[in-house]
Amino acid sequence: MPMQPEENFDPLHITSLSRMLDLEATSHSGAWSPADFPAILDHQLAAALESELAGMDFEVSLKLEAWRRQSDHRLESFADLLTHPRPPLELLETVKQFAKRHRSSQDATLPPEIATALYFACIAVGLTRLGRRITRMDDDALRGGVRWALDQQWIDEPVRDVLHEAAVLLGAGDG
Amino acid sequence: MAENSGIPDGRFPATRWSLVARAGDEDPQARREAMETLLPKYLSALVAHVQYRWSSPREQAEDLVQGFVANVVLEKELIATADQQRGKFRTLLLTALDRFVSNQFRGQRAKKRCPAAGPLRPYDERLAVEKAVPDPSLAFDVEWARTVVAEALQRMCGECRASNRMDVWEVFRCRVVEPLMEGAAVPDYREIVQRFGFQSPSQASNVLITGKRMYARLLKGVVAQYAGGGCDSESEIRGLQATLARYGR
């Protein structure tokens, strides 16, 4: 693609080249922008538990099969788990660990904000549907996390609903 | 498709000191072979420099660079005076080139005053005035950057094709290359997922991140290949990027 001199020295062109040489901008960080978060969360909620959790638990297929047999409700996706009236505790904890790994790992493929929302959503489901606390966080830390999640405008139902229920349970008001 | 040993369009103006050293060799055979390898890599950037700094039409700039290569680089053995310790080879080349072009224009002006001395080529006095540029070597650096980026992208496309991972290339191209290089709209996450059929954010992110890492690795590889064995390719890239960033907007 031969370029003419005037094209070569257009400041916009120089900026383009400069950005293509910016190793930070073209590297791992910032793969997606905050504007993408609603779509990413929707996509994560629709994703299949089995394939997503395969790296966390090699027996997940067998376990899911057993849990499905015991349940009248669908248990295929993350959304199914978060809306389940009596989700399997072990599966909830596995998904929480999945989210935790994505919050802290440098090789994580989920934006940390999405992972954090999923993390607190799992804890909220444990509290509200099972009456179980699947975290060692104290109430203040937990309230803070739930409030943070409720402050994120890109978090919609069903995650927002369960966070709101947990906030009420924790005495964190309307969030 | 240029692969590891390829140089697209015969261009690459980074300093490869091993070649410079051989081009200054006392053995004429070794010198000629090194020159044949080294010079084509710089020609495009040298022509761009003359075009921009001296407001020269393309054809005239090519003539001037050819004259410079024949009269200064080859005849006066400019490369034999290059010294890695004294700085960048391209600085030496550009200084000598500007001196040569200036002398050429001065000579043309003298001939114009004395037509009997020989045939005159059309010449515009305006062209002899050095253009006020923020950095005299900017033209060279821009051409160099363009070549480096183009080669890294070519290698990436080739590597993706060879490994049957064109999804990596396509996602990187539409999410990074086209918006940055062509001003195209950045496709959002939803568009990318629909277009490529990703099943989860992890899958989509994996592909995009793999592409970004591959490009960064290949970009460093391109620079390292030509800038010499002891070269810190990251520093070279950051230095060039900083230079361009100062003049971009």
Side-chain angles (χ1 to χ4, degrees):
Chain A
M1 49 171 183
M3 288 185 187
Q4 297 304 308
E6 59 271 22
E7 189 180 355
N8 252 355
F9 302 107
D10 180 290
L12 189 61
H13 175 67
I14 295 176
T15 302
S16 301
L17 280 173
S18 168
R19 286 181 183 154
M20 286 303 292
L21 290 168
D22 184 346
L23 292 171
E24 271 74 43
T26 57
S27 69
H28 177 191
S29 60
W32 308 108
S33 75
D36 291 316
F37 288 172
I40 296 174
L41 182 58
D42 280 353
H43 198 202
Q44 187 61 54
L45 293 180
L49 287 164
E50 189 168 337
S51 55
E52 288 288 282
L53 300 180
M56 301 280 302
D57 181 347
F58 67 92
E59 290 183 332
V60 73
S61 295
L62 293 174
K63 289 177 181 174
L64 273 170
E65 190 55 42
W67 286 322
R68 281 176 196 134
R69 276 200 301 270
Q70 295 164 15
S71 172
D72 293 334
H73 293 79
R74 275 175 57 89
L75 207 47
E76 304 292 337
S77 68
F78 285 72
D80 292 343
L81 176 70
L82 297 182
T83 55
H84 200 288
R86 294 290 299 173
L89 180 64
E90 187 184 350
L91 181 58
L92 204 54
E93 287 178 325
T94 304
V95 172
K96 191 197 81 168
Q97 286 305 317
F98 168 87
K100 189 175 183 179
R101 183 185 286 184
H102 280 278
R103 287 176 75 194
S104 54
S105 169
Q106 281 197 321
D107 291 325
T109 48
L110 270 183
E113 291 87 347
I114 303 289
T116 301
L118 187 59
Y119 178 81
F120 282 107
C122 288
I123 295 171
V125 168
L127 278 175
T128 57
R129 313 270 165 74
L130 302 175
R132 299 286 293 268
R133 184 184 282 253
I134 59 170
T135 176
R136 278 179 287 187
M137 273 190 280
D138 63 24
D139 279 0
D140 281 346
L142 195 48
R143 269 193 292 268
V146 170
R147 274 191 180 283
W148 171 88
L150 285 169
D151 285 343
Q152 308 310 305
Q153 297 303 310
W154 45 269
I155 295 180
D156 213 339
E157 56 185 18
V159 174
R160 179 167 290 279
D161 293 345
V162 74
L163 286 168
H164 184 72
E165 288 174 40
V168 171
L169 202 64
L170 290 163
D174 290 335
Chain B
M1 183 59 53
E3 282 303 342
N4 287 342
S5 60
I7 299 155
D9 307 326
R11 301 172 188 171
F12 199 93
T15 304
R16 192 175 181 185
W17 280 103
S18 58
L19 283 175
V20 175
R22 268 186 279 145
D25 200 292
E26 288 193 3
D27 175 6
Q29 176 71 17
R31 194 163 63 221
R32 192 173 66 248
E33 284 172 8
M35 292 294 288
E36 282 170 1
T37 310
L38 189 65
L39 275 177
K41 299 171 179 36
Y42 287 90
L43 288 181
S44 172
L46 291 174
V47 169
H49 176 78
V50 173
Q51 277 184 276
Y52 186 58
R53 173 150 186 171
W54 297 88
S55 299
S56 225
R58 174 90 193 175
E59 197 177 319
Q60 185 183 40
E62 285 173 352
D63 287 347
L64 285 164
V65 169
Q66 292 299 334
F68 169 69
V69 170
N71 292 295
V72 179
V73 180
L74 298 178
E75 200 169 292
K76 296 185 180 172
E77 300 192 327
L78 175 75
I79 290 178
T81 68
D83 179 352
Q84 187 170 5
Q85 301 307 314
R86 290 200 330 237
K88 290 177 177 174
F89 178 61
R90 64 177 185 268
T91 305
L92 173 80
L93 266 184
L94 291 185
T95 305
L97 175 62
D98 284 337
R99 194 178 303 128
F100 175 80
V101 173
S102 176
N103 288 340
Q104 290 296 301
F105 284 152
R106 205 172 293 131
Q108 283 191 341
R109 276 200 300 273
K111 285 178 183 174
K112 203 176 182 181
R113 284 194 295 271
C114 184
L120 265 179
R121 290 180 60 191
Y123 172 69
D124 183 349
E125 281 286 350
R126 184 181 56 83
L127 298 182
V129 180
E130 279 190 49
K131 196 167 179 176
V133 293
D135 181 340
S137 63
L138 182 60
F140 197 89
D141 285 339
V142 169
E143 180 62 19
W144 178 34
R146 197 192 68 77
T147 310
V148 169
V149 167
E151 172 138 359
L153 291 174
Q154 279 191 333
R155 288 186 187 187
M156 180 174 173
C157 181
E159 202 169 289
C160 287
R161 185 172 286 118
S163 57
N164 203 22
R165 289 302 310 268
M166 285 306 280
D167 57 332
V168 172
W169 166 251
E170 289 296 332
V171 168
F172 185 74
R173 186 172 63 82
C174 73
R175 176 80 185 187
V176 178
V177 180
E178 289 179 353
L180 286 183
M181 299 296 286
E182 296 167 20
V186 181
D188 64 20
Y189 178 83
R190 207 178 295 275
E191 285 176 67
I192 298 239
V193 166
Q194 282 172 355
R195 185 166 159 188
F196 295 95
F198 294 128
Q199 297 298 308
S200 70
S202 293
Q203 194 186 13
S205 299
N206 262 327
V207 170
L208 179 57
I209 291 165
T210 298
K212 287 183 166 197
R213 285 178 175 163
M214 183 186 285
Y215 171 73
R217 169 174 61 77
L218 291 168
L219 185 65
K220 285 185 241 180
V222 169
V223 171
Q225 183 178 358
Y226 296 107
C231 154
D232 176 354
S233 55
E234 280 201 33
S235 298
E236 287 275 332
I237 293 167
R238 285 184 210 287
L240 184 61
Q241 193 264 331
T243 300
L244 299 188
R246 279 202 299 277
Y247 297 111
R249 64 165 179 245

